[in-house]
Amino acid sequence: MSIIDWIVLTTTLVAIVVYGVWKGRGSHDMQGYLLAGREMRWTTITLSIMATQASAITFLSTPGQAYADGMRFVQFYLGLPLAMVILSATAVPIYHRLKVFTAYEYLESRFDLKTRALAAFLFLIQRGLACGFTIFAPSLVLSVLFGWNIYITNLVIGILVIIYTTSGGTRAVSWTQFQQMLVITGGMVGAFLVILYLLPDTVSFTDAFTVAGRLGRLNAIDFSFDLSNRYNIWSGLIGGFFLALSYFGTDQSQVQRYLTGKSVTHSRMGLLANGMVKVPMQFFILLIGAMVFVFYLFVAPPLFFNPVVMEKVQQGPLAPEYSALQEEYQSAFMERRVAIEMMLMHEETGNTALAQRAEERMHRANDRITRYRQAATDIIRDTDPGADTNDVNYIFLTFVIHFLPVGLVGLVIAAIFSASMSSTSSELNALASTTVVDIIHRLTGRRGTDRQQVRLSRVVTVFWGGLAILFAQYANRMGTLVEAINILGSLFYGTILGIFLVAFYLKRVRGAAAFYAAIVAEVAVLACFLFTDISFLWYNVVGCAVVIGLSLPVNALLQRAGR
Amino acid sequence: MKSDPRPPVGEEPAEGPPPFLKTWPRLYALVLGELALCIVLFYIFTRAFA
């Protein structure tokens, strides 16, 4: 990175931290520290919700996903607006009426202490581990591409977040997220415009879309119904709806964002605006990836985008095979490029037959390129069985480093840091709230003075921050564990959502019935995970449906048994 | 001061109309309408460039 990029990056990060500390001053009681005094406007809430959900890996991985697999990932978000409407109409007024600090407090008032403790405990386990991953994932990509020390990168991200989250609590988190979203938006829009500018003069905007579409990168909607297909409109609308309902309605890192609203109106508006903006935003980020793909149709991309893994192969026993593959890859790339140029030229002159022939050539060359990339991953795996053969997270940043102008590179890296910090700050803030309110205060029964409560919350925030950094430092050596943690989250969301939906809508059901139904649901989800090929999005539906479907009959049985 | 800082539970929260469209059901319809529009546009987009 150039000195100007470093100036842009450090100035942006320091400004965000200073701004967060400054805006967060004056939080002297729990309501001020954990809920920003319940005085946030809906515009701030919307940006805070979006910044919490969009971690750094979203901005690194999503464009790469469009590059490798097309835009069908956008369907993952189609259930989100539906969930925002349901939560606005039902959960928001309930949370406001009960004046809760955490979502899990509601479960005790509705059911009993054990159900509240179960939900809070599951949240702490999931988020406590995921928080380390939120720091680690972008650090890994940045350290690989820039040669930075991953441990120092983890420390920088973690310590910056801890400073303002601990000092200013939720108010600092929400206000910095406002700034962070501006940085992220600026970085992504800037990158998109530069990509379009960098396309060859002979390739118009329409040409870029035409080529991307014919090579399967603009496949935004797929109506086919297939349970094992991760992204189609049905898994997005149904599975994505349940996932969003669970994440936004029961995960404290999100619930805490809209609990800061100065009224029900502001909390609702925050969620609904998120519902309106999220899908187009994801579409735009994926479109950036599709345009990066088009760019690399005219400029030779590396065979594999992770330079550290590639270097290891080039120094290993299979280096000759890899070199031969690279030569084949280059020749296929040139063939595809020529075919594309011919196709566009013949289409412009109206020569359909020749255009069609060129298109067939383009597809044949593209198939060869796909095969060579697959062969490259085979060689990587043969060289090092533990190597990461997925290079999707490295595609966008490789483009940024090599082709964006000085200054914009610093802004995009600042955007990635911002995204990581915004998600981490919400997670630390929520972990501290749940630990203090649902565990320490509830189990000890002692609250202390306002000053003591805020001091305790600060200590707990530092504790979780330290733990997250520690986990991030070790995550590098626990590749499969990181994957397991991601799966772990999807295994519990449906069941927790089921508990909340029963609490909201099935007024007759008591705590014991909900608790036992949740345990059966969890077994059913685990069975799906262990014995079927069902995509993970459907676990949310299964877990939730079993809790709801069983809680009524179990409740009737328990009542008959006199319990 | 030793206290739970929250106001009394059970008070009906201040539930005003949305800042535009006057009623919440209309705003919900707007969100769902936009979703439907996105799906239609994405479908046209997919078909147009396939």
Side-chain angles (χ1 to χ4, degrees), chain A residues 51 54-57 59 131 133-139 142 157-158 161 164 180 184 414-427:
Chain A
S55 69
I57 215 69
F59 295 98
C131 192
F133 186 63
T134 310
I135 295 173
F136 164 75
S139 292
L142 291 168
I157 294 177
V161 174
Y164 67 80
Q180 285 156 339
I184 291 166
I416 287 163
F417 267 88
S418 294
S420 174
M421 288 160 65
S422 62
S423 298
T424 309
S425 62
S426 282
E427 288 172 334

Side-chain angles (χ1 to χ4, degrees), chain A residues 200-486:
Chain A
D201 293 339
T202 51
V203 178
S204 68
F205 197 64
T206 318
D207 290 342
F209 276 59
T210 303
V211 177
R214 295 205 188 153
L215 289 171
R217 295 308 188 276
L218 303 185
N219 51 348
I221 292 289
D222 176 4
F223 278 102
S224 62
F225 185 83
D226 178 2
L227 282 177
S228 59
N229 179 359
R230 192 168 284 186
Y231 308 120
N232 56 43
I233 193 165
W234 312 112
S235 70
L237 278 174
I238 303 169
F241 166 71
F242 279 91
L243 181 65
L245 208 54
S246 182
Y247 176 54
F248 290 96
T250 73
D251 189 307
Q252 179 62 15
S253 64
Q254 280 295 357
V255 173
Q256 196 160 0
R257 309 280 69 79
Y258 55 85
L259 284 181
T260 61
K262 54 163 63 172
S263 65
V264 173
T265 299
H266 283 273
S267 296
R268 274 180 172 163
M269 285 300 299
L271 282 172
L272 293 175
N274 177 48
M276 292 192 75
V277 177
K278 187 72 187 178
V279 174
M281 187 186 101
Q282 287 301 134
F283 181 84
F284 173 68
I285 296 171
L286 285 160
L287 194 59
I288 291 175
M291 290 301 108
V292 170
F293 173 78
V294 174
F295 172 82
Y296 276 125
L297 292 174
F298 300 97
V299 174
L303 178 53
F304 193 73
F305 280 89
N306 182 331
V308 171
V309 170
M310 215 162 68
E311 204 179 308
K312 204 181 267 184
V313 173
Q314 282 165 337
Q315 289 167 357
L318 296 175
E321 282 88 337
Y322 195 79
S323 290
L325 196 62
Q326 267 183 321
E327 276 174 31
E328 296 276 354
Y329 179 71
Q330 281 299 327
S331 118
F333 163 77
M334 283 310 295
E335 192 185 326
R336 185 178 65 178
R337 180 182 164 162
V338 170
I340 290 168
E341 285 166 349
M342 298 300 281
M343 181 185 80
L344 293 175
M345 189 184 78
H346 290 312
E347 281 189 354
E348 203 177 318
T349 55
N351 196 333
T352 324
L354 285 176
Q356 202 167 343
R357 205 177 301 163
E359 188 180 341
E360 284 163 11
R361 232 178 104 196
M362 172 186 79
H363 281 295
R364 277 198 303 274
N366 194 59
D367 290 345
R368 274 174 63 201
I369 286 175
T370 308
R371 280 201 305 277
Y372 295 146
R373 267 178 60 82
Q374 181 55 47
T377 61
D378 292 342
I379 291 178
I380 291 165
R381 209 176 287 118
D382 289 344
T383 305
D384 176 7
D388 183 5
T389 53
N390 186 356
D391 63 349
V392 161
N393 292 340
Y394 299 88
I395 293 172
F396 178 58
L397 215 49
T398 301
F399 167 79
V400 167
I401 293 167
H402 291 110
F403 298 102
L404 287 199
V406 168
L408 196 52
V409 175
L411 185 65
V412 172
I413 304 303
I416 287 163
F417 267 88
S418 294
S420 174
M421 288 160 65
S422 62
S423 298
T424 309
S425 62
S426 282
E427 288 172 334
L428 292 184
N429 194 221
L431 286 163
S433 309
T434 307
T435 308
V436 172
V437 174
D438 294 298
I439 307 293
I440 299 176
H441 281 176
R442 186 61 188 84
L443 296 184
T444 64
R446 286 187 304 188
R447 289 180 189 277
T449 62
D450 283 336
R451 194 176 287 259
Q452 285 170 330
Q453 290 180 40
V454 172
R455 196 182 306 145
L456 176 66
S457 301
R458 287 196 166 117
V459 170
V460 173
T461 306
V462 173
F463 165 78
W464 280 111
L467 207 64
I469 292 174
L470 197 69
F471 176 72
Q473 304 291 34
Y474 279 95
N476 210 12
R477 299 173 204 172
M478 299 188 289
T480 51
L481 186 62
V482 169
E483 200 179 341
I485 289 160
N486 283 335

Side-chain angles (χ1 to χ4, degrees), chain A residues 47-204:
Chain A
L47 291 178
S48 183
I49 287 171
M50 290 174 72
T52 298
Q53 188 183 18
S55 69
I57 215 69
T58 308
F59 295 98
L60 290 173
S61 156
T62 308
Q65 199 140 2
Y67 178 100
D69 186 43
M71 293 179 67
R72 66 193 188 115
F73 181 56
V74 75
Q75 297 167 111
F76 178 82
Y77 294 93
L78 294 180
L80 187 145
L82 294 167
M84 296 302 100
V85 168
I86 300 288
L87 290 171
S88 296
T90 58
V92 171
I94 293 175
Y95 288 149
H96 267 270
R97 189 167 57 244
L98 295 174
K99 310 283 181 199
V100 291
F101 281 110
T102 73
Y104 318 112
E105 263 187 289
Y106 163 65
L107 289 180
E108 184 173 1
S109 69
R110 172 67 179 85
F111 291 136
D112 49 31
L113 178 59
K114 71 173 181 297
T115 313
R116 171 184 180 177
L118 174 71
F121 181 71
L122 288 177
F123 169 74
L124 290 176
I125 298 275
Q126 271 174 245
R127 276 289 148 218
L129 293 173
C131 192
F133 186 63
T134 310
I135 295 173
F136 164 75
S139 292
L140 176 66
V141 177
L142 291 168
S143 66
V144 164
L145 292 178
F146 287 105
W148 295 349
N149 182 313
I150 189 166
Y151 299 107
I152 294 175
T153 315
N154 284 336
L155 272 175
V156 169
I157 294 177
I159 289 173
L160 289 178
V161 174
I162 290 173
I163 290 172
Y164 67 80
T165 309
T166 304
S167 109
T170 302
R171 195 174 276 125
V173 171
S174 295
W175 281 111
T176 48
Q177 284 173 329
F178 192 95
Q179 309 301 316
Q180 285 156 339
M181 277 307 285
L182 294 181
V183 173
I184 291 166
T185 307
M188 297 310 271
V189 170
F192 182 70
L193 293 176
V194 172
I195 296 166
L196 295 184
Y197 176 75
L198 289 175
L199 289 177
D201 293 339
T202 51
V203 178
S204 68

Side-chain angles (χ1 to χ4, degrees), chain A residues 12-31:
Chain A
T12 309
L13 296 185
V14 169
I16 285 172
V17 173
V18 171
Y19 184 75
V21 172
W22 179 67
K23 287 297 277 189
R25 74 200 190 287
S27 299
H28 299 308
D29 60 22
M30 287 292 270
Q31 184 138 299

